[in-house]
Each structure stands twice: as structure tokens, then as C-alpha cells.
Amino acid sequence: MTAGVPDAADFGTLTLAGLPIGQVDDAPPRLLRALEEAGVIAAEDTRRLRQFAARAGVRLGGDTGARVVSYYDANEARRAEELLGDLTSGRDVLVVTDAGMPGVSDPGYRLVTAAVDAGVRVTSVPGPTAVTTALVLSGLPTDRFCFEGFPPRKGLANRLADLADERRTMVFFESPHRLGATLAAMAEAFGADRRAAVCRELTKTYEEVRRGPLSDLAAWAAGEVRGEVTVVVAGADPAAAERTPADLAAAVADRESAGVPRRQAIQETARALGVPKREVYDAVHR
């Protein structure tokens, strides 16, 4: 290496480790070994990490002990710089989150990109994620899907409108106290009859998967819902995308001619054709 310039061969390795999303018994031997051998561990919640290690019978860092630091959204930028310094100084760094894989709606991306840019080796101890677990339990198509993370608090209607014609199965994370409102907004944007599944407390004692039309799930979620939640929504029907505004307006007109009030006719048309009510409304008033 050149004097004063670190050589990539002397760098440590950044490892992203997936922790079980529920059952401690799901932890693979390689994960437990990584926790015991780590010199530096960056954890989303250090308290929960220590609780997990105690349940798994693991001593973090083994006999010498690991330096455990917090690594969460609020300190991600500052901590990433610090951890990169550890890596370029030759120390191995293990990154974990509360559950699932770092970087999937959890801290990790910023540090990975910095490490890649610096020439640091990045590897992973693969583990479960609620994304694919919920997908396979949903009963919805799994051949093509997309992950949309947490829906935004502001501009939710606009984001969902952009996804109304998405044909792949969609996977979302959501907090339990916002679930009812989000499902209602999805029913408005995607159509009340769009199939979906709400997966709660995956792999845990009180695991629950509720499947049905978005309107039914929204009504259920209007009550109290607890735990970690993942929402899976079917993609748009290709046939629905081929219908023109004139087709939608004509379908509403047929119902109106039979004596159905316009508002009800729009709702019934949206439900029958599996298209968002807003799309039918716009077609009628266009």
C-alpha cells in the first residue's frame, strides 16, 4: 500500500445479517456464529439485540466482547461515517436490525453504498424478510411482485393513484394504527373488490393472515389491530386496463337507465369492473 493511503486488502468486511422476524429458532447457525465472532455490531435497537442474543444463548463478540452501537434512522448518516472508519481501519462490522434484513425499510443502504464506494467488501448472512413471507402466505400471484415499503403519510392518494394500473402483486409495510385508513384509501384507488391480504405478527405466536376484498379488510381494520403488519395487494386486472373511459361511462349510463342513481351507478360499475371509483367518476364527467 502507498504510505498514508489505506489498501483495500487491509479493510474489514461489512456483513448484513438478517434476524428472525419472529421465532428465535429460525436463526441459522451462521447468524449465531457471526454474532459471536463480530468485533463491531451496529444494531437498530441494542436492547432488543441483547435480548435476542440472550434467548439464542449467544455471547455477542464471544469471550472478547463486541462493541455494540446503535444504528437507526435518526443517527444513520453520522453512524455510517463512523462505521466506515472502522471498516477502512481493518475492523469487521456486522449490521443487524430488529427483525428481517437491514436495508429493507430499515437502516443499511447508506452504509452499504459508502462501503462499496470505498472498496470495502460487503457480504450478507441471508435471513427471512416479511416481504416474501407475506407474499407466499397471501394466496395472491407470486410470479411477479414489487415492494412499495411504507405508504407515505402525505400524498397517500397520489401515490396509490400512480399504482392503480400496476399489474404485479404489491407488498407494503404499514403501522397498525394507520392500517384502516390506508386500506380504505387503497379500496378507493384500486377498487373495493381488489383482492388483498393483511399479514400480522408473521411467524409469531399470534400470527394472523386475513384475505379478502380491500373494502372488507378496511372495515375489519377500522377496529383495533396490533403487531407488525404487512399488506399484500393483487395487481391490476389486464382486462380492466384495456377498458376506455367511454366503456366506463357507458356502463354507468346502462345502470342509470335502469333507475340507479348516478353515485350508486359509479360505485357499482367500479366494483363490477374492478377499477378505481375515481377512474369511473372521471370517465363519466369527462
Side-chain angles (χ1 to χ4, degrees), residues 157-158 161 164 188-189 244-250 252 262 266-267 269-270 275-286:
N158 291 335
E188 179 74 19
T244 67
D247 293 333
L248 300 178
V252 173
R262 172 166 292 187
I266 290 174
Q267 293 175 335
T269 299
V275 297
K277 186 171 65 176
R278 169 57 64 179
E279 185 175 339
V280 181
Y281 177 90
D282 290 343
V284 170
H285 290 83
R286 193 174 297 162

Side-chain angles (χ1 to χ4, degrees), residues 122-192:
V122 181
T123 188
S124 171
V125 177
T129 168
V131 177
T132 51
T133 305
L135 178 68
V136 298
L137 293 180
S138 69
L140 299 173
T142 59
D143 54 336
R144 299 180 67 235
F145 70 93
C146 58
F147 175 55
E148 293 296 327
F150 283 92
R153 292 178 179 273
K154 296 182 179 180
L156 174 61
N158 291 335
R159 170 67 67 82
L160 296 179
D162 291 340
L163 294 172
D165 294 329
E166 173 59 64
R167 297 187 183 185
R168 295 172 293 180
T169 300
M170 296 170 282
V171 183
F172 301 83
F173 288 162
E174 188 52 288
S175 61
H177 70 275
R178 295 184 58 207
L179 180 61
T182 296
L183 289 170
M186 287 179 173
E188 179 74 19
F190 301 154

